[in-house]
Amino acid sequence: MQEVIVHEGPRIAFVGSPIPKPGPNQIVIKVNVAGCNPKDYKTYWFPEPLNQGNDVAGYVHEVGSNVTEFKAGDAVFALHEIGTAHGTHAEYCLTWAYTTAHLPKGVSMEEAATIPLSATSAALSLYRGLQLPAPWQSPTKLPCPLLIYGASSAVGAFTVKLALLSKIHPIIAISGPSGASLLSGLLEPAQGDILLNYQDYSSTSSLVAEIGKACPQPLYGAVDAISADQSPKVVLAALDALSGSTNEPRLVTLLPYPEDLVAQTKKAIKPYLTVGGDVHNGRDSKAGGQDFGHVMIRMFARWLGEGRFSGHPFEVRDGGLKGVQGALDDLKDGKVRGKKLLVRVGDT
């Protein structure tokens, strides 16, 4: 089979590899659609060049000896384990059965391929990082102001969608102007939700003041789906000023915050770093992360089938796997806003 290996640059290289064989609890998927994520060009996170793909939708090719939920030919979508061989930028990939789900009828493979890594990161952020109630639990009784920075990014938008399913309000969503059309169709102004365009504010203090106007109660917590550029400064300032009497405001980030910036806060803010890979061999795996991943990917599938959940806007790049190069270049250059980049392997 053909697969894409990402080298420093990023620079992709095609290599011929054997079709992987599944372990007892694994599945080999014939890839139909694969996603591209910002982590894919960050080769410095990994000790050697790697097939960086993690999002996949396709058909089951072979299952391991312990797998009973799936069989060859099933249409599925799945999350491949970050940092391991046989990623999704290939004709065939390897996934764990517990982060694989059946594709609901009427849902396209393109839509499904936008979901696994970003939606899992969003779920980890809300339900493990911020410890908010999942949609099947009793909702909060009081208003629960939640700040989501980068709300039109894939992780940010899925955080908004899951917060809505959990009846968490008000949501204070921060985005650039390109996110307005997406977020205006999601947020519920009648519940106090508000969208703020960070470009409309000349200073951090003026943006924080506007966030404060949307908080009928102290700010419960924040998810920073960008965790770079100006977002750490804004989010830390908001938590410092608006989280009430608590001395340890809740904060989830996708990248580490600068330690010197965190140290300047008046309150003991301890950023909780999370990524979708925590459901595999990440920090959460020792505390039920794998069980969490098993439940969430199946709930995504169920909610998709019921029409209560949806994927992220997407763009399919031309050339199949050859399109991975341009996708990674654009992600690195910051040219991608409010959409997930996909490749159809059959177009290679």
Side-chain angles (χ1 to χ4, degrees):
M1 70 169 188
Q2 290 289 306
E3 67 174 326
V4 170
I5 303 298
V6 181
H7 297 260
E8 184 178 358
R11 175 181 58 82
I12 71 167
F14 281 86
V15 299
S17 303
I19 296 175
K21 299 295 291 183
N25 300 303
Q26 294 178 313
I27 297 174
V28 176
I29 297 174
K30 181 175 175 59
V31 180
N32 186 293
V33 181
C36 297
N37 292 287
K39 60 151 279 295
D40 297 351
Y41 70 79
K42 298 173 182 176
T43 55
Y44 46 83
W45 285 1
F46 305 94
E48 58 186 6
L50 188 69
N51 178 337
Q52 292 281 8
N54 301 112
D55 295 315
V56 61
Y59 297 96
V60 173
H61 174 72
E62 185 178 359
V63 301
S65 58
N66 292 339
V67 177
T68 59
E69 188 178 353
F70 305 95
K71 64 183 185 304
D74 285 348
V76 295
F77 66 108
L79 174 61
H80 168 80
E81 182 177 350
I82 291 175
T84 63
H86 310 305
T88 69
H89 294 159
E91 294 178 274
Y92 295 84
C93 72
L94 191 66
T95 68
W96 292 98
Y98 67 87
T99 51
T100 302
H102 289 281
L103 184 72
K105 292 182 180 179
V107 177
S108 72
M109 290 207 173
E110 288 79 8
E111 180 179 8
T114 70
I115 290 171
L117 182 59
S118 296
T120 299
S121 297
L124 285 163
S125 298
L126 285 178
Y127 307 132
R128 292 177 71 83
L130 297 185
Q131 299 181 357
L132 285 162
W136 55 86
Q137 296 174 308
S138 298
T140 58
K141 295 181 180 180
L142 295 174
C144 185
L146 174 65
L147 176 63
I148 303 174
Y149 200 107
S152 65
S153 68
V155 174
F158 283 126
T159 303
V160 170
K161 292 174 183 180
L162 292 173
L164 292 170
L165 284 173
S166 291
K167 297 180 173 58
I168 296 166
H169 300 285
I171 296 170
I172 301 103
I174 299 180
S175 174
S178 62
S181 59
L182 169 64
L183 294 167
S184 62
L186 296 176
L187 298 173
E188 299 177 7
Q191 299 294 330
D193 298 347
I194 188 171
L195 171 61
L196 301 177
N197 176 1
Y198 68 87
Q199 294 183 8
D200 290 341
Y201 301 90
S202 59
S203 66
T204 296
S205 59
S206 61
L207 178 51
V208 170
E210 199 66 25
I211 294 169
K213 294 177 183 178
C215 295
Q217 299 285 338
L219 189 61
Y220 176 87
V223 175
D224 187 350
I226 302 299
S227 303
D229 302 324
Q230 70 172 357
S231 72
K233 186 176 180 180
V234 172
V235 172
L236 289 172
L239 289 172
D240 225 8
L242 305 173
S243 57
S245 60
T246 178
N247 289 320
E248 296 185 5
R250 299 169 177 87
L251 167 62
V252 175
T253 70
L254 300 188
L255 296 170
Y257 269 19
E259 293 182 3
D260 59 338
L261 199 59
V262 176
Q264 294 173 20
T265 60
K266 298 175 183 178
K267 296 183 177 179
I269 301 174
K270 299 177 181 178
Y272 181 96
L273 178 66
T274 191
V275 293
D278 287 345
V279 298
H280 290 123
N281 289 326
R283 296 162 293 109
D284 280 351
S285 62
K286 295 181 180 179
Q290 294 184 5
D291 293 338
F292 184 87
H294 176 99
V295 170
M296 290 312 306
I297 193 77
R298 284 155 182 78
M299 294 310 297
F300 298 153
R302 175 179 172 179
W303 294 330
L304 278 169
E306 294 173 346
R308 301 171 62 199
F309 192 65
S310 60
H312 198 59
F314 60 83
E315 175 188 334
V316 178
R317 288 300 173 97
D318 294 335
L321 291 172
K322 296 175 184 176
V324 171
Q325 180 68 68
L328 299 191
D329 289 340
D330 286 351
L331 287 166
K332 182 179 180 180
D333 293 341
K335 296 179 179 179
V336 182
R337 292 286 187 274
K339 60 186 175 183
K340 175 83 80 168
L341 301 184
L342 305 176
V343 295
R344 294 191 187 100
V345 172
D347 294 343
T348 305

